[in-house]
Amino acid sequence: MNDSEDLKRYLDEQGRVKEWPSKRNRSRFQQLVLEYLANQFEFDTIYSEKEVNQLLNQHHTFGDAALLRRELFERGLIDRKRDGSAYWRKVQN
C-alpha cells in the first residue's frame, strides 16, 4: 500500500482523522496522520493555542486536540514559543 491509501484508513468521509493509530503502528501511521494534520496549518501564520485546538478539532473526531498538538510539536512539525502563547508551522528541510 502507499501512504495515501494507508492514511485513508484513519479518515472519515469528511477527511477528518477518526482515530489515533495504536502504539503498535506508532512510527509510520502516526507520522502519516501528523503530517496530514500539519498540512492544515498555513506557513507564515502565528496561531494561539486556542486557534491550534480549533483547527485540530475541525480535522479530527476523537476529541483529543491536546494529544495532537503535543505530538505535532514533539515531532517537529509545528513549533511554539516556550510559554505556549504562539504556535506556527515549521518549514521542513
Side-chain angles (χ1 to χ4, degrees):
M1 280 196 181
N2 63 37
D3 288 349
S4 178
E5 287 298 315
D6 289 340
L7 179 61
K8 283 182 185 178
R9 296 188 319 181
Y10 295 97
L11 303 179
D12 68 10
E13 301 80 32
Q14 287 81 40
R16 298 174 300 187
V17 178
K18 60 185 178 182
E19 67 181 280
W20 183 237
S22 69
K23 287 187 178 194
R24 181 174 56 92
N25 296 323
R26 182 171 171 83
S27 60
R28 181 158 178 266
F29 296 120
Q30 287 184 357
Q31 188 68 28
L32 282 174
V33 167
L34 292 170
E35 288 172 2
Y36 172 76
L37 292 171
N39 285 330
Q40 308 309 314
F41 290 84
E42 298 291 329
F43 288 107
D44 301 321
T45 299
I46 302 297
Y47 299 89
S48 68
E49 184 174 305
K50 182 179 179 180
E51 291 170 324
V52 170
N53 290 341
Q54 288 172 337
L55 190 140
L56 291 173
N57 284 332
Q58 291 174 17
H59 295 285
H60 86 286
T61 62
F62 59 89
D64 199 345
L67 165 80
L68 297 172
R69 188 181 66 245
R70 185 172 53 251
E71 290 287 334
L72 285 164
F73 173 72
E74 288 177 1
R75 296 196 193 198
L77 296 168
I78 63 173
D79 208 347
R80 68 174 189 200
K81 284 188 174 181
R82 187 174 180 94
D83 66 2
S85 64
Y87 291 78
W88 57 92
R89 183 168 175 195
K90 287 181 74 172
V91 177
Q92 301 298 306
N93 297 329

